Amino acid sequence: MNRKKLYAILAAESAFIIILCVLTVQVPDSFTSIWNFPFEQIGAGLLALHGLGSVGVGIACALWVGLSLLPVIPAVRGRGKTPWERVLLVLFAVCVCATLHFMTNPIKLMTPYDDTGSYSKLVFSITTWSVLILYFVVRIVRLLREGDRDKLNGYFDTALYALAMLCAANIVAYGANTLAFISAAGMGGLDALFSLLLFAVNELPYALDIVIIVYIGEFTDAAWSGDAASLPQKAERLVKLCCSTLIVTAALTAGFNVMQLMFSPSLSHIMTSLQIPVFSIAFTLFALLLTRIIVENRKLRDDNELFI
């Protein structure tokens, strides 16, 4: 795994999410939610074209149809895709078509509990994104089943990058929400400090997961390249990090609650934390078991070679 490449990707992703969060606050009419990007902005552009007369309406309709049909092109012309993948691409195109059409006039589906249309926008956008995610999951499953050893190694590295991006996105998005909550509630002093501490308690495990991902990448690179000399050292370092992460994850929550109890007379907001980062713990345990399995298999293979 290339550390510099991973850090550059995470930095670009974090900057992109921060920009979206800032725009959501500064331009609430065009950026009501991160999940609505980019459908909401495209819909606003199409609506602006509608106001330019008949020519603008024609251009808007052409863009709407063209953007909606883009996912159909790989479904029809792409090779090696299963029928399910093609169906999902067509379904994604239908969802894009409906979402863009709704984004140009969200008033059409307003309900008594959603007089601004923001909730309906979110439903359309999340539905569209979920279909796209389903397509990628189906495609990934097929690639994993058909791939050889070299391809599987490449897929594994890609999965590590994706997991690191997921952890970074969670940290940045949660941090933005925390700052927005502190600002909206007018918190200051200890209240603001403990809100930030709660953010650290909940998100530090995901930051440690990114470190574990880097170590897993280096460990698996050594294992697959046959670098037996550095493998035990890398494995021991990874095991220690995984064990420390599990302990720190549990200790942070307990420590935060104890500190908050001590300072409770001076706090106006009590935010008891008993959140268990299941994903972080499960991933750490998986990394620990994976390391042990690879090391034991390596030892067994070396012993067999010596016996032969």
Side-chain angles (χ1 to χ4, degrees):
M1 171 177 283
N2 190 323
R3 285 197 181 195
K4 292 183 179 179
K5 179 181 177 181
L6 176 63
Y7 295 154
I9 292 174
L10 296 183
E13 178 197 22
S14 300
F16 179 71
I17 294 176
I18 290 173
I19 291 173
L20 287 182
C21 291
V22 171
L23 290 174
T24 301
V25 176
Q26 299 296 328
V27 193
D29 294 335
S30 300
F31 290 83
T32 58
S33 172
I34 293 177
W35 290 106
N36 289 335
F37 181 85
F39 308 115
E40 188 175 33
Q41 291 70 42
I42 295 175
L46 296 177
L47 183 61
L49 288 173
H50 268 274
L52 299 179
S54 58
V55 176
V57 172
I59 296 175
C61 291
L63 288 174
W64 170 51
V65 174
L67 292 173
S68 302
L69 291 178
L70 280 179
V72 179
I73 297 176
V76 176
R77 299 177 58 88
R79 296 181 179 180
K81 292 183 175 63
T82 64
W84 278 112
E85 291 177 40
R86 299 181 189 277
V87 169
L88 288 173
L89 283 174
V90 173
L91 179 60
F92 176 64
V94 172
C95 291
V96 170
C97 180
T99 301
L100 292 180
H101 177 67
F102 173 75
M103 290 297 179
T104 60
N105 193 5
I107 301 177
K108 290 182 178 180
L109 292 181
M110 281 187 178
T111 58
Y113 56 85
D114 184 27
D115 55 355
T116 62
S118 59
Y119 178 77
S120 299
K121 285 183 178 181
L122 195 59
V123 171
F124 270 82
S125 298
I126 290 180
T127 300
T128 305
W129 283 119
S130 64
V131 173
L132 182 61
I133 292 171
L134 176 59
Y135 164 75
F136 280 114
V137 169
V138 172
R139 181 174 175 83
I140 289 171
V141 170
R142 176 178 64 82
L143 293 175
L144 290 177
R145 296 182 64 180
E146 297 176 354
D148 54 20
R149 184 178 182 275
D150 293 335
K151 287 184 178 180
L152 290 176
N153 291 346
Y155 297 154
F156 185 77
D157 288 340
T158 303
L160 291 180
Y161 280 103
L163 284 173
M165 292 178 66
L166 181 63
C167 292
N170 186 79
I171 294 171
V172 175
Y174 192 93
N177 289 335
T178 299
L179 293 177
F181 173 73
I182 292 175
S183 177
M187 289 185 180
L190 284 177
D191 288 320
L193 175 62
F194 272 86
S195 294
L196 294 175
L197 286 176
L198 181 62
F199 160 73
V201 167
N202 291 332
E203 299 305 314
L204 184 58
Y206 294 100
L208 294 175
D209 286 344
I210 296 177
V211 179
I212 291 176
I213 287 170
V214 173
Y215 279 61
I216 289 177
E218 295 178 351
F219 172 73
T220 53
D221 287 344
W224 289 330
S225 64
D227 187 7
S230 64
L231 193 61
Q233 180 182 2
K234 292 181 182 296
E236 186 63 25
R237 184 175 58 177
L238 180 57
V239 168
K240 288 182 178 179
L241 178 60
C242 291
C243 295
S244 300
T245 299
L246 290 173
I247 295 173
V248 168
T249 299
L252 283 174
T253 299
F256 173 80
N257 288 328
V258 170
M259 286 183 59
Q260 189 172 228
L261 183 62
M262 294 172 58
F263 289 93
S264 58
S266 303
L267 297 174
S268 59
H269 295 80
I270 302 297
M271 300 166 290
T272 303
S273 175
L274 194 56
Q275 297 185 16
I276 301 175
V278 178
F279 169 81
S280 180
I281 293 175
F283 174 72
T284 304
L285 288 173
F286 166 77
L288 184 60
L289 292 174
L290 176 66
T291 305
R292 285 303 188 187
I293 290 172
I294 293 178
V295 170
E296 292 299 326
N297 287 341
R298 183 73 187 185
K299 288 181 180 179
L300 181 61
R301 188 176 69 178
D302 292 341
D303 292 342
N304 290 337
E305 291 177 354
L306 290 175
F307 177 76
I308 296 173

